[in-house]
Structures are given as C-alpha cells and as structure tokens.
Amino acid sequence: MIRRIQETDRAAYLRMAHDFYHSPAVMHPVPDSYLVRGFDEMMRSGDYMQGLIFEADGEVAGYALLCRTYSQEAGGPAVWIDEVYIKPEFRGRGLGHELFENLQALLPAARYRLEIEPDNLRAEKLYRSMDFERLPYAQMVLDVPDGSVPKA
C-alpha cells in the first residue's frame, strides 16, 4: 500500500531518511537537520515536495519523495522523483514497482525524472523496466553553504 505521508510518520520517516543518506544509494550524507526541514515542508504545504509512505504487513516499509516543477522542454508539469527508500527487509516485494505503476495517478505530470548512483545497478534495472531511459545531460549544482534559503 502507498499513502501520503502524515505528521504521525515523522519519527519513522526521519529514521528511514537518515538510513537512506548513510547508504550506498547516495554520494554523501546530509545533516539530519535537512531531513527535518524537508519533513516540515511536506507538512506545511506539499507545494514543493510530496511524501509517500510504503506499507507492508501493517508496517512502514519505506518512503518516496516527489518534487514538482514545470518543464518547458517536456511541455508541462514535471515530477522529480527525489528519493525512493525501501527498508532492507521489505526489498524485493514489488513496492518500487507499485510506486511506478501508480505514479501518474498519484501525481500527474508530462515528465518524471530521477537520478541514480552509477553503481546502483538494482535501481537502474527497476527504472529501466519501467521505461525510464538515460539522459545524456550532466548535472551541475550550487549549494548555499548552510542550506538556508535567502529571503526575497
């Protein structure tokens, strides 16, 4: 089952997000304070980021973060699949497939985009089976030193 994240998921989400950012699926960990900010943003509005919780056997089994934007190149709304994390004991049960099979109903868009670590062959296999394809783009990033957003 997949459902929208709720305030009551705070502790479970923060534990899983911490585990995600200390796994081989990412290039480097991020401060736990960033995870708290992300959760607070999801609870505040859902304008930028929407969280989903995977449940299996009556337990929280993982989460996904979906971020909205608009892509002129794609001709409409775009969703960045920012994070997908399934607890190790729940992997291989089809939860990732369930997410991708229902993605368009959960958050309609003209394009869905994600990134993977080059060594994460299991994730790449899943995404390719769902018709994702590699882009020839290289990405660049500029991080604000403390992660804060400048006031307008």
Side-chain angles (χ1 to χ4, degrees):
M1 178 176 124
I2 299 174
R3 63 173 174 78
R4 297 214 188 266
I5 200 165
Q6 302 167 7
E7 180 63 46
T8 55
D9 296 311
R10 178 181 290 271
Y13 164 77
L14 292 173
R15 276 192 306 276
M16 291 185 296
H18 176 88
D19 291 347
F20 175 76
Y21 276 100
H22 290 81
S23 78
V26 297
M27 291 177 62
H28 56 82
V30 300
D32 285 344
S33 63
Y34 290 12
L35 309 177
V36 171
R37 269 193 239 168
F39 188 86
D40 290 345
E41 176 57 34
M42 286 185 284
M43 295 300 104
R44 185 190 69 78
S45 73
D47 290 342
Y48 299 105
M49 185 167 53
Q50 195 167 95
L52 302 172
I53 292 289
F54 300 102
E55 289 185 339
D57 302 331
E59 294 182 50
V60 172
Y63 74 92
L65 297 182
L66 309 174
C67 299
R68 303 176 211 220
T69 187
Y70 188 93
S71 171
Q72 187 153 291
E73 179 181 4
V79 171
W80 182 269
I81 303 160
D82 195 35
E83 296 175 18
V84 177
Y85 176 77
I86 309 290
K87 291 179 180 179
E89 63 269 28
F90 292 100
R91 293 178 187 160
R93 293 186 175 189
L95 295 171
H97 276 285
E98 183 180 350
L99 170 67
F100 289 101
E101 287 171 357
N102 294 293
L103 198 52
Q104 292 180 21
L106 291 166
L107 202 56
R111 173 176 283 167
Y112 298 89
R113 193 168 179 166
L114 51 78
E115 63 187 16
I116 60 170
E117 287 297 307
D119 296 337
N120 196 344
L121 301 179
R122 185 176 183 164
E124 183 173 0
K125 182 179 178 185
L126 169 66
Y127 302 145
R128 285 186 183 274
S129 77
M130 294 292 170
D131 296 328
F132 280 80
E133 56 189 65
R134 279 195 178 269
L135 290 173
Y137 301 118
Q139 292 191 357
M140 298 175 72
V141 65
L142 171 63
D143 286 330
V144 177
D146 68 356
S148 64
V149 178
K151 302 287 187 233

